[in-house]
Amino acid sequence: MLRIGLTGGMGAGKSTVARILARRGAVIVDADAIAREVVAPGTEGLAALVEAFGVEILTEDGGLDRPALAARAFADDESRATLNSITHPLVGKRTAELIDAAPSDAIVVQDIPLLVESGMAPLMNLVLVVDVDAETRIRRLVEFRGVSEKDARARISAQATDEQRRAVADVLLDNSGPEGALEPVVHELWERRLVPFERNLRTATAASADPRSVPADPNWAAQARRLIARLWLACGANAKRIDHVGATAVPELPAQDLLDIQITVTDAAAVEQLRDALGAVGFPRREGESPESGADDVDAALWAAATHGNADPGRPAVVSLRLEGAPGQTFALELADLLRSDATARTEYLAVRRAADAAAGGGGAAGGGGAATLRPWFEWAYHRVRAEG
C-alpha cells in the first residue's frame, strides 16, 4: 500500500486534486470529512464534547454548533487541549480503520489540511503540495466561497507558510493557472510516478537511476533531508546517525541523479533488524555481495554491510548501512568533506567522471569501463583522507 499525503493552503485547490486522483482509482481519506463524522449526532465524540463544553454547543436539532464550540474551545490553551484530547484520538482511530480497509495494492491519498502543522509528512511515502501564492488564494476564497477578505487573511495566517509547505513537498503542484490546467499534470503524476511507486513498494523493487552524470540540482539537499526524516522514523534507536553523502551532497557538483544516504549503525544485529523496517517505508533491500576474502582496503571501504534503494521512481536513492567506525563509514563522510572543501579534488573528480561516462559508451559510470576509470581516483581519495586522518 502506498500512502500519499496531500496538502495545500486554504483555497489552493487541494480538493480538486483529490477528486482527480479518486477518478484514477486512489482511495481518498479526507481528514476534514473524518473530523465531521466523529462528532456527528449520536456519536461518542459529540457526547464527549457536550460533557466538556456544555449543551450550549448544540444546535436546535441536536447537531454540533461549530461557531459556539469554537468560542468556548479556543478561549484558552486548556480548553483547546481538552478539545484536541477528545477529537484527535477519534480522528486517528477512524483514519486507521479506513486505511486498514483499503486493498493491499491501493494508493491511499490522505487529504490533510494541517499535514505540515501536525508534523505528519515523514509518515507518508510521498507528499503532494498544491501550491498557489497567498494573494491568489485570498482572491479565490472571496470570489468563489464568499469568505470575507479579513477572515480569509486571518485563516491563512494561522496556517503553515508557503515556504514551510514547500519544504516537505516531494511533488509541488502549481495550481496558479487557469481552471483545468492542473488536471493533465495530475494524470501524468499518477501514471509515471504513483502507479510505478506502488508496484515497486509491493514487489520490494528499488527504482533505478540513469547512470549518466547530470548538472547539479539545487534540490538534492532538500530531497535528501526528506528521505532522511522518513529513514529516522523507520530506524529509531537502531541508527546512530544518518547522512547525505556522495557527490550529490556537494553543492554545484555534477553527479549521477542518485541520492547517496548513509545510515550508521552500532552493531551488525541492527542491519538485519532494519531490513523489514526500511522495506515497509519504501526502501527495499538490494541484495549484494561482500568483498571477496583478501580484498584490498579500497574495496572494503566502498562496501556496505547492507544496501537499500528507494522504491520511488521519481527520486532514486541508494541507502547504505555501515558499522560505526568501519572504513566505509568514515570514508563516505570524509569523501564528501574532501569534495566540498578542496576545489582541486572537485576538478579532478569531474574530469575522471566525464572520462568514466565516455568509457562506459554513453551508458554512464555504471558500465564496466566506467567503473574501471573511476577506481584509481577513489584509491587516491581513500589514501589521502587516511593520511590526513
Side-chain angles (χ1 to χ4, degrees):
M1 179 185 298
L2 183 67
R3 290 181 65 179
I4 305 296
L6 172 64
T7 194
M10 187 179 181
K14 179 172 50 63
S15 297
T16 298
V17 173
R19 284 194 295 270
I20 298 170
L21 292 170
R23 291 197 297 268
R24 295 307 305 263
V27 175
I28 307 298
V29 178
D30 187 331
D32 277 348
I34 293 171
R36 293 190 294 271
E37 177 185 336
V38 298
V39 293
T43 62
E44 61 174 308
L46 184 58
L49 289 177
V50 170
E51 182 178 353
F53 297 104
V55 295
E56 292 82 6
I57 65 169
L58 295 177
T59 61
E60 292 184 0
D61 59 4
L64 179 63
D65 186 334
R66 293 184 177 277
L69 173 64
R72 290 173 176 264
F74 295 103
D76 52 67
D77 290 342
E78 183 178 353
S79 297
R80 185 183 298 107
T82 298
L83 172 65
N84 291 339
S85 70
I86 294 170
T87 58
H88 287 187
L90 295 172
V91 170
K93 178 183 177 182
R94 182 56 178 152
T95 298
E97 291 172 349
L98 292 173
I99 293 173
D100 290 343
S104 60
D105 62 350
I107 297 176
V108 175
V109 177
Q110 292 183 242
D111 183 341
I112 308 174
L114 301 182
L115 181 144
V116 175
E117 293 87 338
S118 60
M120 293 182 65
L123 296 171
M124 306 297 162
N125 296 121
L126 202 71
V127 172
L128 314 182
V129 173
V130 187
D131 188 47
V132 181
D133 69 86
E135 291 303 316
T136 300
R137 288 189 280 124
I138 290 168
R139 176 178 56 78
R140 290 177 179 177
L141 291 170
V142 172
E143 292 182 5
F144 303 118
R145 295 197 197 175
V147 179
S148 71
E149 181 175 340
K150 180 180 179 181
D151 191 19
R153 291 188 181 278
R155 295 189 194 185
I156 286 175
S157 66
Q159 294 184 335
T161 65
D162 291 343
E163 290 72 22
Q164 289 171 323
R165 275 188 289 269
R166 290 166 187 159
V168 306
D170 297 294
V171 178
L172 201 62
L173 297 169
D174 182 1
N175 194 27
S176 59
E179 184 177 356
L182 192 57
E183 185 158 357
V185 176
V186 177
H187 286 308
E188 182 177 10
L189 173 68
W190 176 267
E191 294 289 349
R192 299 187 63 177
R193 190 164 186 177
L194 303 190
V195 170
F197 194 171
E198 185 283 321
R199 182 172 58 248
N200 287 347
L201 186 61
R202 176 166 33 89
T203 60
T205 302
S208 59
D210 188 329
R212 293 169 295 185
S213 302
V214 298
D217 186 340
N219 295 312
W220 279 336
Q223 291 168 353
R225 284 194 294 271
R226 290 192 288 272
L227 294 190
I228 288 172
R230 294 182 177 115
L231 290 168
W232 269 119
L233 282 180
C235 292
N238 282 312
K240 183 68 176 293
R241 60 186 292 174
I242 306 179
D243 298 279
H244 180 200
V245 296
T248 57
V250 182
E252 301 182 2
L253 184 69
Q256 183 186 7
D257 189 15
L258 179 72
L259 297 184
D260 194 348
I261 309 295
Q262 176 173 267
I263 300 175
T264 298
V265 296
T266 55
D267 57 66
V271 175
E272 287 307 311
Q273 290 171 2
L274 289 174
R275 175 193 286 266
D276 293 337
L278 293 178
V281 297
F283 299 93
R285 183 79 166 258
R286 296 172 60 173
E287 299 300 337
E289 298 180 355
S290 63
E292 297 179 359
S293 177
D296 63 25
D297 288 345
V298 177
D299 283 333
L302 297 178
W303 174 72
T307 303
H308 292 246
N310 192 3
D312 178 10
R315 181 54 281 158
V318 59
V319 180
S320 302
L321 280 68
R322 295 188 174 98
L323 295 177
E324 183 179 23
Q329 186 264 343
T330 56
F331 180 54
L333 299 173
E334 292 163 343
L335 178 61
D337 287 340
L338 172 66
L339 289 170
R340 280 191 287 261
S341 63
D342 191 320
T344 300
R346 289 196 300 275
T347 300
E348 292 173 352
Y349 172 80
L350 283 174
V352 173
R353 180 74 206 202
R354 293 189 192 99
D357 286 345
T373 304
L374 281 169
R375 180 180 171 79
W377 188 88
F378 279 106
E379 289 180 344
W380 168 84
Y382 177 78
H383 291 298
R384 170 173 167 172
V385 298
R386 291 276 76 78
E388 293 179 349

